[in-house]
Each structure stands twice: as structure tokens, then as C-alpha cells.
Amino acid sequence: MNAMTPTLAPVQRIRHVVKGVVIEGDGPEYGRDPNRFVTPPLDVGALVWPRPAPSPAADVPVDEIIDILVETGEVLKRDRSGLLAQAMERSVEAGFYPRDLVERSFAHLGHMFSRPAMEFMIAQEIGGKDLLDGWREVTTPSGRPARVRAFPCRLLHVIAGNSPGVAANTVIRGALTKGVHLLKLPSNELFSAPAILAALAEAAPGHPLTRCFSAAYWRGGDEAVEGLLFRPQYFDKIIAWGGESTIRGALKYVGPGLELVAFDPKTSISLIGREIFESEATLEAAAVAGAHDATIMNQEACTASRFQFVEGALDQVDRYCERLQAHLGAGGRSASAEPRPIPRALRDEIDGLRDMADFYRVWGGYEGRGLVVRSDEAVDFYPEGKVVNVVAVDRLADAARHVTVATQTVGVHPPERKSGLRDILASAGAQRIVSLGSATPEVGLPHDGFYPLHRFVRWVNDEG
Amino acid sequence: MSTRSELVDGAVHEDVFDRPWPDIEARQLEAARELFVERRDQIPVLRRRADDSGVTEIRTLDDLVPLLFAHTAYKSYPPSFVAQGRWDRLLQWMQTLSVAKVTDVDVEGVTDVDDWMERLRAAGHMVLATSGSGGKVSFLNHTREDAEKKRRHYRRMSGWPFVKADNSRVVFLTSPSRGPNSAIEAAQNSAAVWARPGEAHFLTDEPLRLADISASAALNQRMAEGTATPAEIEAAQAEARARGERMSAAMDVFVDKILAHRHEPIVVSALWAQHMSIIERARARGIPDGGFHPDSLVSAGGGLKGVALPADYREQVDRFYGKVIRNNAYGMTEMAQTCPKCQCGRYHRPPGLIWLLLDRDGERRLTADDGVDGVVEGRFAFLDLLYEGRWGGLISGDKVTIDFKDCPCGRPGPTILDTISRYAQAGESDHIGCAGTIDAYIRGAVAA
């Protein structure tokens, strides 16, 4: 390749959605080759809903909303307009994931709009549809009558782009809670949210619910935009996903009247008991489950395990490592078998360890088919790209000192060990304890220590 | 005399960059071949690399590519070795990257990492530490002779091509005067070649202690684990504040001295942020821009990570010192033979330094044919032929453009253009993911 005149990848054209209307056009250009893209000119004024007017969907019964969402899922599955397929192709071209993983993620989107899932979410997270549709009567112990409602909010969502499912979940949660929602698109997933909102518009043309959603890209942290938008007169809450810079960026604007709901950056780990060495079959089963949890969204997800603490003698732990490495590259529903070379900086770190055979052992190469580093304490770099650090421990409880408030999911194996560990883990900061192999999240349960729907609304009371 | 020492010693010649070095590429290759034969069996990490990549001899410069170390190799030790004082194990680690035997250094009774370094140095292993981003420092071994040759190289290159270092000046260096750190070594070299006796002024004589860096790393670790107490954090903050105040007071004295000598040819070397701090104090004293002697040497450098500077800081520094000599060189901690900058603003290659320009991924060597008209962009790597104490082959994170033709200044040989930048790290764009580490949750209490 000619270094002075690199071949330029085509510039991607991004769609915005403003209150249900798809906007196209060539405005500012962002990104670096090969991920350059052009967005429509940004009309900041069009992205806010004037505060005196209630949310367009405020008085739409939640059952009607569920019907529309279920139909939205069907639209996505059928994709007659081809918009989702197009979004998928663009996502493939952007190149953050191999094609098969993008295809499976997009194919799954329609199935996320599931009626039983939405019913379960409302029951679990809100406590009943009546709270969304109106005022629930209660009486306090002093005898005071009161009425409580889960009231729609104005939310600005800074969503994560490491899975298109984040956009779908945001639309589902946002619709069920009836507020108005501006989605700030992440530069690593610019296509799914506009496509999902287009499907919503197709499922319910002209419906007030569609007017509740906008999606746009601006450079994260751009003060010219965020200084205008991140204000209590326009939004009640910023729902921020992920990385430190996002959360810190949002924090600048948080104050009275503008709340931060943070899906903080998280790491996930696994704790694996000595029982796995009982037989070849139990060892194999643990390695398969451990590999599954480590490779969720090719290990880009916060639920993906990066450190696995294994109880046993070093030679036993090494046997686990060998098998784990063999399965890490296998692929599956939430991982691709297509190898992607490990990032250079990480390779450099691991290279340093290879030379210290007394303290570390490494299985696998840098081509992206899975790599395991075994050590007697956790490495001080961040494993990604199907890289797992297996730490040998005497007792699983010893691993609790590696659990912090940044620890999201802890996969435990065998599952019987969970009850003996979960209080220690929760106390240290862990938010989710699962049986190893089940780290893929489901909706309707707490996420990062809270019920999302519960925080997407404002709880208002009418007393006396 | 070996080809290698001939090339390294070439840097002492007055006209090192002015005359063509016949067959320089062939001689560099021959020197690399010699060096590899010698080091392969001396440095365990190099031997493993060679075995893994199947390189048995250096036939072309391409054979060097898999043998280049990343800078992280020099900090690949488990942090617990320092935290738990396992000094003998840290020696074992050091051995994997060293030529001479280091495992016989007596570490009995070593109390902290500075003590450990002291023992190594006393035994002739002139280990240097880096500044340690994130609290983990690299340890780079070299011999006493390496250190002397490095200083010799510095003497020749430092004022090139404008003035010669002749121990005639008053010198101002914004670093501590003592400490086992690579930046301090550079400042000491500057003092040694430029300063007249008794006229090397450092910002402070308070020695830099690695134990302070590792203590702050350990505190960060305890904060992550949730075991650090508020009292500990408060104490660390108070200490950082006190250090900041001492440095601020030292800077006041330092600036007064600089200003007192500004009408004579002096040497001032500082990081950009420190220059800004000097300017701020000078302004407070009513000193106008541009009053420095035109033969003064002013160098500036350093990254801007975590430092808030006005957008025009370079212009401000330029204006303040006015028309002085801006000497500059391209180098890094791991490199002994730096590349000085000519009048045309290009960096020249000393004969004992093999430049390797690689593709972005650091896997393929690029040559003049990979660019237009012999100008090629890529990742910078090198083999420094000077070192006796360790392997001098390193791959950097720098994006450089090399012009393989002669320099517009008229001197022969390839040059690096003044456009050096870093290859972007992952996560620098606003790609947002939900995965992250505890680091985001810990406020650097001891970041001073």
C-alpha cells in the first residue's frame, strides 16, 4: 500500500430522526479513515420538546404502546423497507465487528420487542401498568389517602455502541415509560437507532409515540451542542452509558433539576470452584461456560468476563486454561469465530509476560482465536479481544478482594457455590451474580444495581 | 575494531552528519548481525523472541522486526514484586532483559525500590527508571560505559548544528538534581556538557524517589479495593499539596535566577507546562517578552497529558524567550543516541542508530519505495547499537515521516520530518461502550 496516498474508504451518510421524522442531508463530517461519516446539519432547536407541553404519549395507554412495540418488532423482523438490512450493512462496513456477529445482533433486534418481556419489565420494575397509565391509590399508616404515578420524563440518552441492542432497549424502555427521548448516537453504532425509530414510525404512522423520539449524532463532549441541550429546562435526566469520558462529560451538566442515571463502565469476572476437576466432563463443561461468558459481543460487552479466578493447584488450573483457550475462539450466538487480531498495546503487554515463565503462562496467539494468561495475581492491563486472565486462587472467597463497585457480573461455577459467595461479592460491590455461562443479560431484572424503568420515570404523588 | 563500535564512535566526529558514510546501510546491517550473534545467548527474552520467530541470523533489516521489544517489556514485572518487597524476584525479572548477571546482586535488607536500584547501581548495573505512567515504572538496565557513551553522544548532539557544548554557561534545568530516573539522567547530562563549574541549577535538590510513585500506586490499588481509609487519602493529599507548595517556592527562586542571567547566553530546559509557569512568574515581576540573549539555548518538550495549557502556549513560549537558539532532538528514554534537528527542522540519524520504519501495525518494514518520492509515513522503531547492558531494539508508538533522500539542509542521508505524532490509542474517539475498569471511579488523590 502506498503510505502517502492511502485509499480512502467511502464516507458513510448518517440519518437523524427528529420527533419521528427521518432527516437526511450532508452536514458536518466526522471520524477518521476508514470510519468517516457525514451527518445531516444539526438543528439543536428541533431536538428539544417545549416544556409546557406534556409528552405526546403521556395519555396513551401502555397496552396500546406494547401493541405498537410488538408491531415494531414485527416490522424489524420483516424489514420490508430494507432499512434494517441497510443499517446492518453499514454497521458491517464500519467494521467494529465481524459480519456474522453483526448479522446475528441485528436479526435479534426484532425479537427484543417481546410482549412477555415487556409485561415482565413493567411488573418488576414499575410494579404495575396502572402506575404508568394513571394514579394508584394508597393510604399511608397515618390514614392519609394518596395517589402515586410513574410520570413520563424528558430523557437524553447517551447510548453505548458496543451492541445494537442498547438502542433497541432504550426505545423499548423509553416507550413504555411514555416520556420524550433524545438519543445521542455513539460513533461506533450510528445506524441501529435511526433504523429502529423508522420501524416504529412504520408500525404506527403518525402516532403520538413516534413523536416522542429523536436520534442524532454530535461529537461527544461538544460544548456548543451539549452546553445548549444538557439543561434542566429541556431534560430531566441524562441516561449515560459506558466509558469514563461519557460519564464525566455528562457530570459537568448535572445539577438541581438535571439528574444523571449512569450505566457506569463495568468489568465482569468469573469464579470457578475446584469441583470442575472431578472429571474430564466437568472440566470441559466449565471451560465451555467460561468461554461463553468471556466472549459476549466478542468481549466488548460489560457483561463479558475478563478475569477468571480458578480454585485449584497450578497444574489443574493450567488444564482449565488450555481448554478455555480452545473454546474462546469457537464463536456462538453472541460471539464470532472470525479472528480479529488482538490490539497492539495488549500484545505488547502480553509479550512482556511471555518472557516470565516462572510467573505467567500464556496459551494462544495474537491472531484473535482466544488467548489465556495464567498468573497468581490479576494482571494490571485490561483484557479484551478474547483474552482472559486466569488467576489461580486457593479459595474462591480470596477472589472477593478483586471485586469492586466497578464489577458488574460475577459468573460462579458450579452454581451451588453462589449462595455461599453472593453476600461477600455483593458487599464488595458486585451487582449481578450468575451461574457461569449465563452472563448474557435479560430485561426486567436490575441492571447495574437499579431497575432502569423505575429511574426512567419521575415518581409523583397527589396526597390528601 | 568492530563495525558496531566504529559506527557508534562515529558520533564523536565533528562532521558526523556533514559527510556521507559510504555503505552506511550495509555497515549498519553488519553491525546488527554482529550484535545479534552476541546478544542472542546473553539476553533470555531476545533468545525466546528469536526462537519463536525463527530468526537465526540477521540477513536483512527485516529480520530485526520480530526482535524489537515494546516499551512494556521493561515494565512487565508483576507489581506485587515491588509492593511486597520480593526484591530477589525482581532481580530474576531484570535478568531476563539484561546482558550482565544481575541475580547475584545482594538484596539482603533492601527496604524499598530506591534501595533496590541503589544496590544494582552500586554493582555497576546503571538501571534507569521511567516516570511511570499509572504508577508502574519501567526499569532499563545499561552499563556504566553505556552511560558514559550516552553522555558523549549528548555532548556532540546537544547544540548541533548551532553551537558546541563547552561547559561555558549557566544552565537551568527544571528537574530534580538527583534520582534514578531517565529524565533526571538527561538533565544531568545537560549540566555536565553545558554548565561551567557550579552553575548548573536544578529546580530542586530533593531527590526523586520511586518509592513515592509506588506508594501512590499502592494507595490507588487500595482505593480500588475499597480498603484505603479517608485518613490515608487525606494524608496523601496533604503530602501532595505540601510537595506542590515546595515546588512552587523552588520555582520562584529558580525563575529569579533565570531572569538575573537572561542577558547572557544560558541554557534553559523545561517541559512546556514549566515554561508557562516560568513565564507567568516573569510577567508578575514585570519582565517583558524577548529579553533573552540570542545565543541562549532554550528547549521545550514533554507531553501535555492532564495539563491544561492555553491554546497558544507554543507561541507564548516563543515570544517570551524571543530570538534564541531552539535546539531539539528526537529521542526517547529507551534510546541512547538521539537524533538532533538541523536548521531545516529535520532530525538526522547518527550512524550508530538503525532506523526501522514499520507499517502501522509494526509488522512490515517500509522502505523508500513505499512512499512517494522517497517520503514514507510509518511507525518508528530502531536498533540502538550503543548498548552493552541490554538489547537496543525497540518499537515505538510514534508516527513519523521519513524522507529517504538527502536533507534540504544539504547533508546526506535520511531524515525524520518535524511531524512526529502518536498513533491514536483505542478509545480516544467517542466510541462508547459499557465496559470499563475501576480506574474511572477513583479520583487520583495523589496525582501531584
Side-chain angles (χ1 to χ4, degrees), chain A residues 88-108:
Chain A
M88 191 199 75
E89 284 303 328
R90 289 175 163 195
S91 195
V92 170
E93 282 163 26
F96 297 107
Y97 291 113
R99 171 176 284 276
D100 63 321
L101 184 54
V102 177
E103 283 179 354
R104 280 194 297 279
S105 303
F106 274 80
H108 179 62

Side-chain angles (χ1 to χ4, degrees), chain B residues 146-172:
Chain B
D146 290 344
E148 281 157 14
K149 284 196 175 156
K150 205 170 162 184
R151 180 167 292 185
R152 182 186 74 175
H153 182 85
Y154 185 82
R155 180 179 286 280
R156 169 65 56 219
M157 303 301 155
S158 180
W160 187 89
F162 308 104
V163 273
K164 279 170 68 178
D166 55 0
N167 292 93
S168 66
R169 296 172 178 236
V170 185
V171 174
F172 298 95

Side-chain angles (χ1 to χ4, degrees), chain B residues 180-215:
Chain B
N181 171 293
S182 51
I184 295 173
E185 187 206 38
Q188 287 166 339
N189 283 343
S190 189
V193 307
W194 287 107
R196 58 178 188 247
E199 290 290 5
H201 303 282
F202 292 84
L203 178 58
T204 173
D205 289 322
E206 191 179 315
L208 177 109
R209 285 169 39 81
L210 298 181
D212 294 338
I213 299 172
S214 52

Side-chain angles (χ1 to χ4, degrees), chain B residues 98-166:
Chain B
S98 300
V99 172
K101 189 172 167 69
V102 298
T103 45
D104 54 1
V105 170
D106 180 17
V107 290
E108 187 65 36
V110 166
T111 53
D112 61 20
V113 66
D114 297 280
D115 211 6
W116 179 79
M117 296 273 281
E118 222 19 77
R119 299 285 182 95
L120 275 157
R121 294 180 142 231
H125 311 292
M126 304 304 284
V127 179
L128 279 181
T130 57
S131 55
S133 55
K136 196 176 185 190
V137 300
S138 301
F139 295 111
L140 297 145
N141 200 358
H142 65 326
T143 67
R144 213 178 286 280
E145 198 194 357
D146 290 344
E148 281 157 14
K149 284 196 175 156
K150 205 170 162 184
R151 180 167 292 185
R152 182 186 74 175
H153 182 85
Y154 185 82
R155 180 179 286 280
R156 169 65 56 219
M157 303 301 155
S158 180
W160 187 89
F162 308 104
V163 273
K164 279 170 68 178
D166 55 0

Side-chain angles (χ1 to χ4, degrees), chain B residues 67-339:
Chain B
L67 305 178
L68 299 168
F69 295 178
H71 73 104
T72 47
Y74 294 101
K75 57 172 183 177
S76 63
Y77 57 90
S80 64
F81 287 5
V82 175
Q84 296 166 18
R86 292 150 85 181
W87 308 117
D88 53 339
R89 302 200 108 187
L90 198 56
L91 282 184
Q92 276 177 42
W93 168 81
M94 186 90 255
Q95 188 64 68
T96 66
L97 293 159
S98 300
V99 172
K101 189 172 167 69
V102 298
T103 45
D104 54 1
V105 170
D106 180 17
V107 290
E108 187 65 36
V110 166
T111 53
D112 61 20
V113 66
D114 297 280
D115 211 6
W116 179 79
M117 296 273 281
E118 222 19 77
R119 299 285 182 95
L120 275 157
R121 294 180 142 231
H125 311 292
M126 304 304 284
V127 179
L128 279 181
T130 57
S131 55
S133 55
K136 196 176 185 190
V137 300
S138 301
F139 295 111
L140 297 145
N141 200 358
H142 65 326
T143 67
R144 213 178 286 280
E145 198 194 357
D146 290 344
E148 281 157 14
K149 284 196 175 156
K150 205 170 162 184
R151 180 167 292 185
R152 182 186 74 175
H153 182 85
Y154 185 82
R155 180 179 286 280
R156 169 65 56 219
M157 303 301 155
S158 180
W160 187 89
F162 308 104
V163 273
K164 279 170 68 178
D166 55 0
N167 292 93
S168 66
R169 296 172 178 236
V170 185
V171 174
F172 298 95
L173 302 152
T174 54
S175 106
S177 56
R178 288 178 298 145
N181 171 293
S182 51
I184 295 173
E185 187 206 38
Q188 287 166 339
N189 283 343
S190 189
V193 307
W194 287 107
R196 58 178 188 247
E199 290 290 5
H201 303 282
F202 292 84
L203 178 58
T204 173
D205 289 322
E206 191 179 315
L208 177 109
R209 285 169 39 81
L210 298 181
D212 294 338
I213 299 172
S214 52
S216 88
L219 179 60
N220 271 326
Q221 179 66 33
R222 286 199 301 282
M223 285 166 72
E225 290 168 3
T227 55
T229 64
E232 266 184 294
I233 296 170
E234 191 188 13
Q237 281 172 334
E239 204 180 303
R241 222 171 16 244
R243 193 183 310 132
E245 280 162 15
R246 285 200 304 280
M247 287 308 121
S248 179
M251 187 58 104
D252 281 331
V253 176
F254 190 73
V255 169
D256 284 338
K257 279 192 226 162
I258 294 178
L259 296 177
H261 288 278
R262 74 184 193 282
H263 301 304
E264 56 186 280
I266 56 173
V267 173
V268 183
S269 175
L271 304 176
W272 287 110
Q274 293 170 319
H275 277 302
M276 290 307 290
S277 167
I278 292 168
I279 292 171
E280 188 190 325
R281 284 170 166 81
R283 289 200 178 132
R285 288 159 173 75
I287 304 295
D289 282 345
F292 283 78
H293 192 284
D295 288 338
S296 288
L297 276 143
V298 175
S299 60
L304 302 174
K305 210 173 159 190
V307 187
L309 290 181
D312 65 340
Y313 67 95
R314 280 170 188 269
E315 290 76 13
Q316 289 202 38
V317 171
D318 277 356
R319 272 204 310 275
F320 177 69
Y321 292 103
K323 214 177 147 38
V324 292
I325 299 169
R326 318 278 168 156
N327 59 327
N328 210 336
Y330 175 51
M332 55 196 83
T333 304
E334 295 85 356
M335 186 196 284
Q337 303 181 81
T338 51
C339 310

Side-chain angles (χ1 to χ4, degrees), chain A residues 1-5 32 35 96 158-162 184-188 217-220 241-244 246 248 263-267 299-303 306 344-345 347-349 351-356 358-360 376-378 380 382 384 401-406, chain B residues 44-45 48-49 52 68 70-73 75-81 84 86 89 92-93 96-97 136 221 224-226 360-364 366 370-372 375-379 395 401 424-443:
Chain A
M1 196 180 93
N2 191 322
M4 291 302 288
T5 51
R32 266 186 300 210
N35 293 309
F96 297 107
V158 183
I159 63 175
N162 50 346
K184 190 254 175 246
L185 300 173
S187 62
N188 47 337
Y217 177 83
W218 61 87
R219 196 190 303 280
W241 285 77
E244 173 174 8
T246 320
R248 296 248 178 257
F263 293 95
D264 291 334
K266 301 289 180 194
T267 300
Q299 211 180 22
E300 291 286 329
C302 48
T303 51
R306 293 164 204 277
R344 167 101 223 172
R347 280 170 47 186
D348 291 347
E349 294 280 0
D351 251 348
L353 307 184
R354 282 184 191 272
D355 302 318
M356 302 198 57
D358 292 350
F359 314 105
Y360 300 98
D376 59 2
E377 59 177 304
D380 54 358
Y382 182 71
E384 57 184 332
R401 83 183 169 86
H402 295 278
V403 174
T404 68
V405 288
Chain B
V45 172
R48 193 190 57 71
R49 281 294 187 86
D52 286 358
L68 299 168
H71 73 104
T72 47
K75 57 172 183 177
S76 63
Y77 57 90
S80 64
F81 287 5
Q84 296 166 18
R86 292 150 85 181
R89 302 200 108 187
Q92 276 177 42
W93 168 81
T96 66
L97 293 159
K136 196 176 185 190
Q221 179 66 33
E225 290 168 3
R360 185 193 177 90
D361 294 331
E363 274 153 23
R364 189 172 69 84
L366 305 178
D370 288 292
V372 173
V375 179
V376 192
E377 180 188 281
R379 182 184 288 272
I395 181 164
T401 302
Q425 299 289 319
E428 275 183 8
S429 59
D430 62 342
H431 294 174
I432 301 176
C434 53
T437 65
I438 183 71
D439 300 348
Y441 298 72
I442 304 171
R443 253 169 301 154

